[in-house]
């Protein structure tokens, strides 16, 4: 939008033309991040789990019969972007969310693979922390 003004107010960014408020973006949102847009329901996805801090949805190009991406709603660029104040969030994902989704998908007994591609050599293509949960088939090792 031409002449957009962003200012911070009460924990939210207000985007407007200086006179009228046009749109609110949550303080944790990044306007050009595809996974932030999925978290904020600005673009569609097949959600399999959601709570206040986390959303999980099916990968558009599944690499296994079950392939889900688990993301924090807060924008964190990669696992290296996690800060001290994110410890509860990281523990919540590992201790609560991932086991819950594995159960829901029916892969908790058979097993599954968690992948967190990070940076250039890790082939991370979306710069918003995400855990791939892959299951429903036997995995190979080493990875490509
Ligand atoms: P990575 O390469 O580890 O960064 O993984 C990014 C993943 O996001 C890939 O597996 C993509 O298929 C997936 N992806 C990209 N855009 C979407 C989308 N709109 N909905 C669901 N999955 C997506």
């Amino acid at each position: 939008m031409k002449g957009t003004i962003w200012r911070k107010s009460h924990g939210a960014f207000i985007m407007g033309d200086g006179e009228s408020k046009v749109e609110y973006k949550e303080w944790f949102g990044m306007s050009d991040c595809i996974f932030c847009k999925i978290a904020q329901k600005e673009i569609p996805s097949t959600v399999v789990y959601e709570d206040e801090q986390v959303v999980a949805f099916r990968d558009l190009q599944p690499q296994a019969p079950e392939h889900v991406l688990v993301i924090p709603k807060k924008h964190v660029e990669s696992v290296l972007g996690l800060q001290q104040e994110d410890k509860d969030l990281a523990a919540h994902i590992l201790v609560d969310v991932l086991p819950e989704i594995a159960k829901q998908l029916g892969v908790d007994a058979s097993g599954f693979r968690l992948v967190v591609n990070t940076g250039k050599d890790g082939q991370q293509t979306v710069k918003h922390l995400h855990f791939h949960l892959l299951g429903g088939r036997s995995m190979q090792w080493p990875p490509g």
Side-chain angles (χ1 to χ4, degrees):
M1 183 203 314
K2 218 177 163 189
T4 296
I5 293 171
W6 289 85
R7 62 193 171 83
K8 205 172 179 204
S9 171
H10 305 295
F13 282 106
I14 297 173
M15 187 172 83
D17 57 11
E19 290 180 5
S20 59
K21 291 175 189 172
V22 176
E23 192 181 345
Y24 290 90
K25 296 273 178 191
E26 294 298 315
W27 66 271
F28 49 74
M30 291 282 288
S31 60
D32 59 349
C33 170
I34 190 166
F35 285 180
C36 284
K37 287 181 176 165
I38 286 176
Q40 292 162 26
K41 308 287 162 38
E42 290 175 7
I43 62 173
S45 68
T46 305
V47 172
V48 300
Y49 173 94
E50 181 165 17
D51 65 28
E52 272 187 11
Q53 303 180 86
V54 176
V55 63
F57 50 94
R58 293 201 174 273
D59 198 293
L60 264 189
Q61 294 183 293
Q63 302 301 314
E66 303 292 349
H67 187 174
V68 164
L69 300 172
V70 181
I71 68 167
K73 289 184 175 175
K74 168 183 176 177
H75 184 83
V76 176
E77 185 163 316
S78 76
V79 76
L80 296 178
L82 289 165
Q83 306 295 316
Q84 288 297 317
E85 69 260 25
D86 298 320
K87 280 184 174 175
D88 285 350
L89 172 62
H92 176 53
I93 292 173
L94 286 174
V95 176
D96 305 321
V97 177
L98 285 162
E100 166 66 31
I101 295 171
K103 256 185 235 156
Q104 190 185 311
L105 298 176
V107 298
D108 53 326
S110 52
F112 54 90
R113 181 167 289 172
L114 288 179
V115 175
V116 187
N117 294 327
T118 305
K120 184 167 70 68
D121 282 357
Q123 299 290 316
Q124 181 182 3
T125 58
V126 178
K127 302 290 187 291
H128 182 129
L129 174 62
H130 49 283
F131 296 76
H132 294 258
L133 192 162
L134 299 133
R137 68 168 169 84
S138 186
M139 300 291 155
Q140 307 292 311
W141 194 265

